[in-house]
Amino acid sequence: MTTPDFAEHQRQPLERVVLDDGVVGLRWPDGVEFECLGLWLHEQSAGIDPITREGTLDPSQLPPFDVLDDAVAGPSGDLVCTWIDGSVTTVDAGWLHHVASGAHLPDASVGRLRRWTAVDAANAPIHDGGAILDDEAVLESWLRELCTAGVARLTGCPVDDDFLGHLARRLGPIRGSNFGDLFTVEAVVDPDSTANTGLALGQHTDLPTRETPPGFQILHCVENTVSGGASRMADGLVVVDELRTRHPDAYDALTTLEWVFANRAPDGDHRWIGPVIDLGGPRSPLTLRAFYPVRLAPFMPIEEQPRAYDALRVFSEVAHDPRVMTSTPFGAGDLVAFDNRRILHGRDAFDPTAGRRRLRGCYLDHDDVYSRVRVLRRPGRTSIVHTPGGSTS
């Protein structure tokens, strides 16, 4: 039978079905219970296209609330619905159990966020970059770490410039920026960003100049013969918790007082207004707008500005606290992916005349990476073989 998804759900025969005034009460032998409208059942069974698995009924075409005439557990334990027009549909009890258990919710397959400190990071797993394109178990494990901890590392990756594109396109569409789809981070004579210098970079997140900054960033080291330039990271969730509990005045300023962010480039002019700690709505992910090179001007009353600057100092001190911040050297073949809206990253200074440090980078949106994780973990899924070019067979 058709379900509103492409998963093969485990059989979960119903134990009890009760229809009462248009509401169906369901119970399974494991104790899971669920109540749903008959109208919703109609939408999710009789109103589902068997090819696209999408709904076909415009709200103006919805039947009345009493559309369900009868509901019983069939011989196989699935839900058999008889509608007022005499038609009958069977709804997969395994899929209904999946919904009743909350497995259809956005974070169910992605995993719960896991906070970490410098001590925790020292024991974080490092995954096999040589197998990441061909072994879905390695890919799934790496992505699980990325989605929960916000940071995931690979070692032993090929050091050619094309590897990052092949990996990124396995995860989803690359999120372009004013730096292009795939970009290179290295010290150059005429830099278009402080990233392309040998200067130290304080803890920050990229592109706070955007309405929605990129969700994830990937950096792949293809060459590094300089001393210095270690990569630094801190979990923004831990930083925010520390500010909220130990520096409440700074936390209030950082979450309520707004700044104008602008990239000042010859060929681009992206601007946005927001607080440094952007909590968004109840379903929004944390967004740290913390890149000081593009923080243009305060967008607040003049009397609030000293408090705002004091809070910036506290934010930086917490983000650079050795208890929170990690420091990791980049070697050729190393790769790190991280949540750009949550994880603060930076680097130590290095001398670009004493060698070469070259990284390849790109951005991806949260939605696309999470989608890939859900597909990898979809019940009954068969493996898909990916070619290096990103196609499937």
Side-chain angles (χ1 to χ4, degrees):
M1 70 200 72
T2 300
T3 59
D5 60 23
F6 290 89
E8 295 180 11
H9 296 283
Q10 180 181 356
R11 286 197 69 250
Q12 297 281 357
L14 286 160
E15 179 181 78
R16 187 181 69 195
V17 178
V18 177
L19 174 61
D20 182 16
D21 196 24
V23 174
V24 181
L26 305 175
R27 180 181 173 85
W28 286 265
D30 61 2
V32 172
E33 296 183 340
F34 185 49
E35 286 188 329
C36 52
L37 281 179
L39 181 56
W40 176 78
L41 286 168
H42 188 274
E43 269 197 301
Q44 302 302 318
S45 57
I48 290 293
D49 180 83
I51 304 300
T52 66
R53 310 295 173 96
E54 294 180 343
T56 60
L57 298 177
D58 181 86
S60 65
Q61 301 171 323
L62 288 172
F65 282 106
D66 63 355
V67 64
L68 184 59
D69 186 58
D70 193 22
V72 297
S76 65
D78 292 314
L79 181 66
V80 178
C81 298
T82 303
W83 309 105
I84 55 175
D85 64 0
S87 62
V88 177
T89 57
T90 301
V91 186
D92 189 296
W95 175 77
L96 286 167
H97 188 277
H98 160 91
V99 175
S101 303
H104 66 305
L105 298 176
D107 62 351
S109 295
V110 173
R112 293 181 179 275
L113 300 181
R114 188 177 79 251
R115 289 162 167 75
W116 54 266
T117 64
V119 171
D120 302 320
N123 299 312
I126 297 177
H127 303 266
D128 182 3
I132 196 75
L133 293 180
D134 303 312
D135 190 329
E136 287 198 341
V138 175
L139 179 64
E140 193 273 341
S141 179
W142 180 68
L143 288 176
R144 177 188 292 273
E145 185 72 9
L146 176 60
C147 292
T148 57
V151 179
R153 299 183 183 277
L154 298 173
T155 58
C157 300
V159 293
D160 64 86
D161 283 3
D162 296 330
F163 172 76
L164 178 62
H166 295 326
L167 174 60
R169 292 185 180 96
R170 281 210 63 184
L171 308 182
I174 292 172
R175 162 83 179 264
S177 72
N178 47 300
F179 301 110
D181 288 348
L182 296 166
F183 52 85
T184 300
V185 182
E186 65 178 330
V188 296
V189 175
D190 295 311
D192 58 354
S193 166
T194 51
N196 292 320
T197 69
L199 297 172
L201 291 176
Q203 299 299 82
H204 67 280
T205 56
D206 282 11
L207 303 187
T209 56
R210 307 306 176 90
E211 175 185 359
T212 304
F216 291 101
Q217 182 173 177
I218 308 178
L219 292 173
H220 172 219
C221 182
V222 294
E223 184 178 1
N224 191 7
T225 57
V226 304
S227 59
S231 170
R232 295 187 262 100
M233 294 199 173
D235 187 349
L237 294 176
V238 172
V239 171
V240 171
D241 287 346
E242 179 87 355
L243 290 164
R244 184 190 297 113
T245 57
R246 299 188 63 183
H247 306 279
D249 292 341
Y251 174 81
D252 178 73
L254 291 162
T255 55
T256 61
L257 300 180
E258 295 183 311
W259 298 83
V260 179
F261 297 91
N263 77 309
R264 287 157 281 190
D267 59 350
D269 197 337
H270 296 90
R271 299 175 188 245
W272 191 252
I273 294 173
V276 172
I277 301 175
D278 189 344
L279 300 176
R283 301 291 181 192
S284 301
L286 170 70
T287 298
L288 298 177
R289 298 183 184 275
F291 196 33
Y292 52 89
V294 298
R295 182 169 38 76
L296 175 61
F299 191 72
M300 65 192 76
I302 190 72
E303 60 270 19
E304 293 279 23
Q305 294 178 23
R307 185 166 76 98
Y309 275 103
D310 284 342
L312 289 175
R313 293 187 183 95
V314 175
F315 180 91
S316 183
E317 290 168 1
V318 174
H320 290 86
D321 188 323
R323 295 176 301 132
V324 173
M325 186 183 71
T326 66
S327 181
T328 307
F330 256 134
D334 291 345
L335 180 147
V336 62
F338 55 94
D339 188 330
N340 176 64
R341 296 168 72 177
R342 165 187 170 183
I343 301 299
L344 292 152
H345 69 286
R347 71 157 184 245
D348 295 343
F350 64 93
D351 181 359
T353 67
R356 193 177 187 192
R357 180 184 189 272
R358 192 162 70 92
L359 311 178
R360 294 282 283 164
C362 70
Y363 302 111
L364 299 98
D365 281 325
H366 282 152
D367 295 332
D368 294 311
V369 174
Y370 295 157
S371 171
R372 175 55 54 206
V373 172
R374 294 184 191 108
V375 170
L376 286 169
R377 298 177 186 170
R378 182 176 286 163
R381 176 181 181 273
T382 56
S383 295
I384 298 175
V385 178
H386 293 259
T387 65
S391 62
T392 60
S393 59

